[in-house]
Amino acid sequence: NNRESVRSVLNRGASSSSSSSSSLSSGQRMDDFRLSLARQGPLADALFACLSLLDNHKVACATIPPLLGLLRRGVGLATRATASSVVDAICEKCPSALRGIGGSGIRVEGGVGVGMQSNNNNTENAVSSSLSSVNASSGSLSSQKEGLLLSSNSNTLSIHTIGIKESHGRKLLWLLSELSICENNTTVRRCFAKSLGNVSKIVPARSVKAVILKKLIPKWRHVTPGDANERNRIVNAVAQICKRASLQLDPSVWPPLLALAFISRFQPQTADSTSNQSESKNVSQSKHSPSSQWAEIWRMGMIARSTTGGVF
């Protein structure tokens, strides 16, 4: 059963891309077919068996560094797309591996700290400031505050440091944000954009804020209006983040994003320059067109605004 759940996670990306096959070019449909073939056979079965172990935190953390190298240097279609699917599997089966939760921390009983283990001076200051607002004797508690993961059961409060070192999730976030734009193969690029959205749902909001405000929006503004391909890639990356992590986004992200979405959703539909006229018509009418995606970003921003009481 565990192996079948892993297989369903890895196959989900291929099924989602093929569901809108009417708007895909013949080359993209062929790539989807090649990818579905690569996910069958004994080698794929061996991979699924190994990935069933990803629910173990240590195994997932040990998998991420070579996975980062594979995403950077992988060449084949199946290699890169499957590496993206492994990221999705980690997001679903062991999200703590992407949050940078360390084993060091303190355990508090009745408000008294026992067993401090930390090599970072700022950790102790953050712990003491957080303890002032936490009542360790009030039943069960779980919250994240000032870079800490607080969890209590009965009269015991456990505090684990988060993000003392650069987390795997932040590294994946920045790498996938680049691959979602620079990857030339459309099928693989969509896989990367989907993984970017899944990782954005897990990592701290400040990291996602930095990617949107310091990378994606500036890239959009510096791309010439006539470069439709580049703009399509950027808006797809932004749309995947908003679609999968809209409620987790920092409120300060929405004002510049909504200002850009308000203008861009009225721009004429454009398709990739490699598409013929009939394919361009299909793309312009599909939900993947830039103006349609900007309109969806606008809609999600309005929903997020209503949940915050109309204040950003």
Side-chain angles (χ1 to χ4, degrees):
N1 292 335
N2 199 9
R3 187 179 302 181
E4 289 301 321
S5 66
V6 173
R7 185 185 292 272
S8 66
V9 170
L10 295 185
N11 287 334
R12 202 171 296 158
S15 61
S16 63
S17 63
S18 61
S19 61
S20 56
S21 59
S22 60
S23 64
L24 299 180
S25 67
S26 58
Q28 294 169 28
R29 287 195 292 269
M30 180 59 71
D31 286 339
D32 287 341
F33 179 68
R34 289 173 54 199
L35 191 56
S36 65
L37 286 180
R39 287 173 174 169
Q40 301 174 10
L43 185 60
D45 289 340
L47 175 63
F48 297 144
C50 294
L51 293 181
S52 64
L53 302 174
L54 284 178
D55 53 358
N56 182 287
H57 181 79
K58 290 184 178 180
V59 173
C61 289
T63 303
I64 295 176
L67 182 62
L68 287 167
L70 200 59
L71 288 168
R72 291 189 185 101
R73 296 182 291 272
V75 176
L77 169 71
T79 299
R80 294 171 69 75
T82 303
S84 174
S85 297
V86 173
V87 174
D88 297 336
I90 293 175
C91 291
E92 181 167 317
K93 295 176 68 64
C94 190
S96 63
L98 301 178
R99 295 193 183 111
I101 299 177
S104 62
I106 66 172
R107 183 168 56 87
V108 178
E109 295 181 354
V112 180
V114 293
M116 169 66 79
Q117 298 176 353
S118 175
N119 295 325
N120 190 303
N121 294 330
N122 295 328
T123 304
E124 298 185 19
N125 297 331
V127 169
S128 59
S129 64
S130 297
L131 285 177
S132 62
S133 61
V134 176
N135 183 3
S137 62
S138 60
S140 62
L141 166 69
S142 178
S143 66
Q144 184 172 333
K145 179 179 177 67
E146 300 295 334
L148 301 174
L149 181 68
L150 310 177
S151 61
S152 95
N153 187 5
S154 184
N155 200 35
T156 301
L157 171 66
S158 298
I159 303 180
H160 298 276
T161 60
I162 295 179
I164 299 304
K165 296 181 180 179
E166 185 180 24
S167 69
H168 292 315
R170 186 180 183 278
K171 294 177 182 178
L172 271 174
L173 184 73
W174 282 91
L175 178 58
L176 289 169
S177 67
E178 184 67 25
L179 294 175
S180 300
I181 299 172
C182 297
E183 173 61 42
N184 291 323
N185 185 280
T186 304
T187 299
V188 179
R189 189 168 64 247
R190 286 180 176 173
C191 292
F192 286 152
K194 176 175 175 286
S195 298
L196 173 64
N198 288 333
V199 173
S200 300
K201 188 167 54 177
I202 296 172
V203 300
R206 63 181 180 274
S207 298
V208 184
K209 173 183 175 180
V211 166
I212 293 177
L213 297 185
K214 296 181 180 179
K215 184 172 187 177
L216 296 178
I217 290 182
K219 266 184 175 292
W220 173 273
R221 289 173 175 166
H222 287 100
V223 172
T224 58
D227 193 348
N229 289 343
E230 187 76 4
R231 287 200 159 192
N232 290 0
R233 298 176 182 191
I234 296 171
V235 67
N236 188 49
V238 175
Q240 287 294 327
I241 293 176
C242 295
K243 176 183 177 181
R244 301 177 186 276
S246 59
L247 298 180
Q248 288 92 341
L249 287 180
D250 191 291
S252 62
V253 172
W254 284 112
L257 197 56
L258 289 178
L260 189 58
F262 181 80
I263 298 173
S264 302
R265 65 186 177 142
F266 296 113
Q267 291 182 348
Q269 311 276 13
T270 58
D272 290 352
S273 60
T274 57
S275 303
N276 57 37
Q277 292 183 353
S278 61
E279 290 167 351
S280 299
K281 182 179 180 181
N282 287 332
V283 172
S284 65
Q285 294 174 349
S286 74
K287 61 182 180 180
H288 298 296
S289 64
S291 59
S292 298
Q293 293 191 86
W294 279 121
E296 183 66 12
I297 291 171
W298 174 267
R299 185 187 68 82
M300 289 184 288
M302 290 297 100
I303 293 174
R305 184 174 185 271
S306 65
T307 60
T308 58
V311 178
F312 279 150

